[in-house]
Amino acid sequence: MARDRFSTATRLRLLGEQTAARVYRSQTRRQDRRSRLTGRAAFLALVVCSLVVALAYPMRQWVSQRAEIAEQQRLAAEAGERVEQLRDEKARLQDDAYIRRLAREHLHYVLPGETGYTVIDPDAVRERRTDQGAADRPWYSNLWDGVDTADRTDRK
């Protein structure tokens, strides 16, 4: 038996069995580890995906509502500024001196005993005459141009 134990065939057979057992053990350990890791990873991925799906719509709504709130606050600030401007204008219009000044500037009013002068700028008169355009044409041309432009869809 001692001789059988040290024979080459016996040693090779034992070595093969040991190697096969090691390979089998490592494969089963690897498969156990892989299957455990894969299951955990799949569960973790499922949880993360469900959280993303569950929170995506509320987060989008929250962001859009925050933007809308900021826009409304900006509009409210602009309206507040406009209210202040109108209050200032109203206070100015309560002053008789301010009203007189506006009447003198815009309506060319003069007080009794004063002489009013109007200075005409020659450049402004030329600009006004060049802007007339249709005034130097006959009336029926203007009429037909009006009829033609009324049907156009690309009016400007």
Side-chain angles (χ1 to χ4, degrees):
M1 185 157 189
R3 201 166 182 211
D4 194 30
R5 188 171 164 206
F6 295 109
S7 71
T8 306
T10 305
R11 279 190 291 179
L12 284 176
R13 187 174 43 81
L14 283 174
L15 188 63
E17 287 174 0
Q18 289 171 353
T19 305
R22 268 190 255 139
V23 166
Y24 176 73
R25 272 184 279 157
S26 70
Q27 282 180 348
T28 56
R29 270 193 237 137
R30 200 177 312 140
Q31 285 175 351
D32 287 345
R33 234 182 289 133
R34 190 180 302 144
S35 65
R36 255 187 298 151
L37 184 64
T38 304
R40 286 181 184 169
F43 181 72
L44 181 63
L46 180 67
V47 168
V48 168
C49 288
S50 63
L51 284 175
V52 166
V53 168
L55 295 177
Y57 183 73
M59 285 301 292
R60 188 184 69 161
Q61 289 292 88
W62 182 77
V63 168
S64 68
Q65 287 174 357
R66 295 299 299 173
E68 188 175 332
I69 288 170
E71 176 67 19
Q72 291 300 323
Q73 287 173 343
R74 185 187 65 79
L75 291 174
E78 287 178 5
E81 291 173 8
R82 180 69 178 137
V83 165
E84 285 301 316
Q85 290 172 354
L86 291 173
R87 282 186 182 146
D88 292 344
E89 183 70 19
K90 181 181 176 186
R92 273 188 253 125
L93 289 174
Q94 300 298 322
D95 185 18
D96 289 337
Y98 181 71
I99 296 296
R100 282 190 202 106
R101 189 181 65 132
L102 286 179
R104 290 174 74 99
E105 286 176 7
H106 296 288
L107 302 175
H108 306 288
Y109 279 16
V110 291
L111 293 174
E114 291 181 348
T115 304
Y117 295 98
T118 304
V119 179
I120 299 174
D121 185 15
D123 294 333
V125 172
R126 270 188 242 120
E127 285 178 17
R128 217 177 300 144
R129 285 188 183 151
T130 58
D131 288 344
Q132 290 177 353
D136 57 347
R137 295 186 304 181
W139 66 271
Y140 50 86
S141 280
N142 294 335
L143 177 69
W144 284 118
D145 287 343
V147 170
D148 288 340
T149 56
D151 290 338
R152 287 191 193 147
T153 58
D154 59 339
R155 282 189 250 170
K156 292 181 182 173

